[in-house]
Each structure stands twice: as C-alpha cells, then as structure tokens.
Amino acid sequence: MVAALKNPNVDFRHRNLLGIEGLSAEEISLLLDRSDHYAERNRSARAPGKALSGRTVINLFFETSTRTRTSFQLAALRLGADVVNMAVEHSSIKKGETLLDTALTLNAMHPDVLVCRHPESGAVKLLSQKVECVVVNGGDGAHEHPTQALLDAVTIRRRKGRLQGLTVAICGDVMHSRVARSNIYLLHTMGARVRVIGPPTLVPGAMERFGVEVFHDMALGLRDADIVMMLRLQLERMQGSCVPSIREYFRFFGLDRQKLSNAKPDALILHPGPMNRGVEIDSEVADDIGRSAIQEQVEMGVAVRMACLEVLTRNLPRLEDG
Ligand code: CP
C-alpha cells in the first residue's frame, strides 16, 4: 500500500486520463490539490480563468449524463475554453458512422481535449489511440470513471482531512459499477481500507484480488466505517435480474438509519448519483445534511474536472494566431 505524498511540483506523466489504474499516489495528490484550489476559486470568483483560453473541448457522450457532462462543460468554460457538446442522437452515428470514424472526424477539426463516455469498457482507450488530442474518460461501461473517483476523494479529504487509514465501505451493485472500480484503485493507492458490500449476484467473485474485503451483510460490512459510499442499482447493465425484487433489495442492502447506525457516528454518506431513492438509499439519510455529502460531491465535480483539464493541457503546444 502506498502512502499519500503531498508534492505540488510533481509532473503528471500521462497524456490522457483513461482511468485511475496506473496513477501514482503523487499524481493523484497533484490532481486533488489542484481540485482544492479550484473548489475555493469556484466559491469566490465568477470571471473565467485563462488556463484553457484558446483551447477547444469536445464532449462526446454516448450515454446519458447530467453531472459529468454538465460539469466538464462548466469546468472548461470557467477556464476560458470553447466547448462543443456533441449531440450523439443528432449526429451521423445515427446513420451508421462508427465510434472510430466519429473520433477521426472530430480529431480532424483540431480540438485540444475530447471527453468521452461510452457504454463499452475499453472504447475510450481505443478512441484515444486514434486521435492526437487529449482524451478524458467520462465513464466506459463497467470499467472506469476516473473523475468520479477523484471527486469522491476530494470530498472525503476535505471532510475528513485525509484518505490514508480511513475505512471506506462501497455498497450495492459493485458488479456493474465503474465508480466502484475507479474508487477501489484510488483509495487503495492512497492508503485507505476498502470494503465492498452487496449480494453475491452483484459482487464479482475475485474482488479480494483488488485488495478489498468482501461482505454480503450490511451490518457487518458497515461496522465502524468512516465512509459509506452507496452505488446505484444499474438495471440497464444487467442481463436478466440480479435481485429478487426492489423491495427485498432495499430491505437488505438499501441504506437507512438503522443500517447506518453500524458505521461510525460521524460516518460520511456518499452517492455518485443519479440516486434511486427507496432502492439503494432512503431519502431520510440521503438528505441529512449533517451526514450526507452528496451535494458537495456534485460541487467538487466541477473543481475536479477543472483540475484535470488544466493539468492535462498544461504542456500542450498552442496554435499560433494567423
Ligand atoms: N455520477 C455520474 O456519472 O452522474 P451522471 O451519469 O449524471 O454523469
């Protein structure tokens, strides 16, 4: 396990941000520190910055999104970039153009950054191998959602002052969750203890290989947890049904006050959104401003995406005016 080191001068060695896997503790800390900077700036300033002035960011989302797409757009605008949101449903993809031809077409227009979300694991990496611009993964299938894990980490770090040594329980549909995967990589690298909790049908068999503890009982898994991270039940990714009924799922795995009482008294509740109230989380705990950091996660989403766009484009050459 690698301890978190604070070194604001460390270089970020990667051209793209495709996942948390492979990032060092120093690189993660760099992104978290820059996110903190932008979180403070977003609370006090409205005038756009200049870090991305003259740059173009294209959002290419093949799956629905409220938080990720909007916050990448806001992040780019707040850094002075021009932003294009590709409406996939009105694009030539509907006429049969492939992902790679779409990517090559957009690349020929010389964007600086392409932010892509795609339902297939690995699709964003494939795209990154065909284009010259920076590529950021906005979520690929059940594989990774790196900026979500970064915004979760910055939220935790601001509330708890650290990541190292915390016990984080990730609960629910781990099987279909790119959020869980990216969080496991990040938390493990930063020295947190990670537990996953869910029914056997929703927890992959080989999870221990990721260095996490597996529980199938909420009361046991939540015992003395510092952070309770709930996951959405991703019905759209399931082949057939993985739970007997929604009512039964909520009874055994939905977070309510009674189950939460097993965690530490000051345990923080997180959820990446969108939430299914009454399925994986009860409104009473989701809306408890003393315990739930769900709205803060959304706020940190903009700051994290500003940090990522800034760090990834720092050393890109700029085209001359003419
Ligand atoms: N957490 C998250 O990725 O939300 P969206 O699907 O709304 O972007």
Side-chain angles (χ1 to χ4, degrees):
M1 216 174 268
V2 187
L5 299 175
K6 227 174 176 179
N7 178 2
N9 298 316
V10 74
D11 273 329
F12 192 78
R13 293 171 296 122
H14 309 269
R15 172 197 168 87
N16 304 307
L17 181 62
L18 301 176
I20 298 294
E21 187 181 16
L23 298 190
S24 67
E26 289 85 355
E27 287 167 331
I28 292 168
S29 292
L30 167 73
L31 292 174
L32 299 185
D33 292 345
R34 291 307 290 158
S35 303
D36 259 333
H37 163 80
Y38 284 117
E40 294 311 315
R41 188 182 174 281
N42 285 341
R43 287 182 179 183
S44 60
R46 272 293 167 266
K50 293 191 168 52
L52 264 77
S53 129
R55 305 269 189 218
T56 306
V57 176
I58 300 183
N59 279 329
L60 178 61
F61 277 54
F62 292 85
E63 268 188 359
T64 55
S65 168
T66 297
R67 280 145 284 266
T68 311
R69 197 173 84 150
T70 309
S71 58
F72 265 114
Q73 182 175 5
L74 271 178
L77 290 171
R78 286 186 185 172
L79 292 172
D82 296 315
V83 188
V84 176
N85 285 316
M86 265 271 299
V88 167
E89 64 277 17
H90 298 302
S91 72
S92 291
I93 288 159
K94 288 285 164 198
K95 298 176 189 161
E97 191 162 54
T98 64
L99 167 69
L100 293 184
D101 281 335
T102 302
L104 289 172
T105 301
L106 296 176
N107 185 58
M109 299 179 198
H110 301 298
D112 296 288
V113 183
L114 198 52
V115 182
C116 184
R117 170 173 287 188
H118 198 278
E120 298 299 328
S121 299
V124 181
K125 182 174 180 185
L126 189 66
L127 181 152
S128 75
Q129 291 161 352
K130 305 289 176 190
V131 299
E132 288 145 25
C133 60
V134 167
V135 175
V136 183
N137 184 359
D140 64 322
H143 176 229
E144 281 231 36
H145 191 350
T147 55
Q148 179 68 47
L150 289 164
L151 76 87
D152 293 338
V154 83
T155 305
I156 296 170
R157 207 177 69 162
R158 286 167 70 90
R159 287 284 194 110
K160 298 287 180 191
R162 65 197 163 99
L163 293 166
Q164 190 164 22
L166 293 179
T167 298
V168 182
I170 303 178
C171 317
D173 185 0
V174 179
M175 177 80 83
H176 303 99
S177 179
R178 55 198 178 205
V179 174
R181 213 167 302 272
S182 290
N183 263 294
I184 289 167
Y185 289 131
L186 188 150
L187 292 164
H188 197 234
T189 302
M190 302 307 282
R193 278 189 294 273
V194 185
R195 300 175 184 165
V196 297
I197 314 171
T201 48
L202 292 177
V203 177
M207 284 311 286
E208 283 90 351
R209 274 193 291 169
F210 287 87
V212 305
E213 282 183 278
V214 177
F215 294 86
H216 300 301
D217 180 289
M218 284 286 271
L220 293 177
L222 289 180
R223 191 173 291 165
D224 294 328
D226 295 287
I227 308 294
V228 181
M229 186 182 292
M230 299 308 299
L231 299 173
R232 183 170 67 87
L233 198 57
Q234 301 199 33
L235 299 171
E236 77 277 16
R237 293 195 206 285
M238 291 180 193
Q239 319 243 310
S241 178
C242 296
V243 293
S245 73
I246 297 297
R247 221 159 78 159
E248 196 141 323
Y249 181 77
F250 181 72
R251 183 165 160 232
F252 289 105
F253 294 100
L255 187 69
D256 56 16
R257 282 239 176 270
Q258 195 269 323
K259 294 188 195 82
L260 181 62
S261 67
N262 293 286
K264 283 193 179 157
D266 63 347
L268 198 63
I269 301 163
L270 301 182
H271 191 304
M275 273 187 283
N276 289 313
R277 292 169 183 267
V279 179
E280 70 266 358
I281 192 163
D282 191 40
S283 285
E284 199 192 352
V285 291
D287 299 334
D288 179 347
I289 53 168
R291 306 293 299 273
S292 164
I294 294 171
Q295 293 308 317
E296 200 172 319
Q297 286 174 275
V298 178
E299 181 189 0
M300 292 308 124
V302 180
V304 158
R305 281 143 191 153
M306 289 171 85
C308 293
L309 290 175
E310 185 242 300
V311 168
L312 288 164
T313 57
R314 253 180 206 173
N315 299 319
L316 285 187
R318 284 185 181 274
L319 292 178
E320 293 302 319
D321 285 342

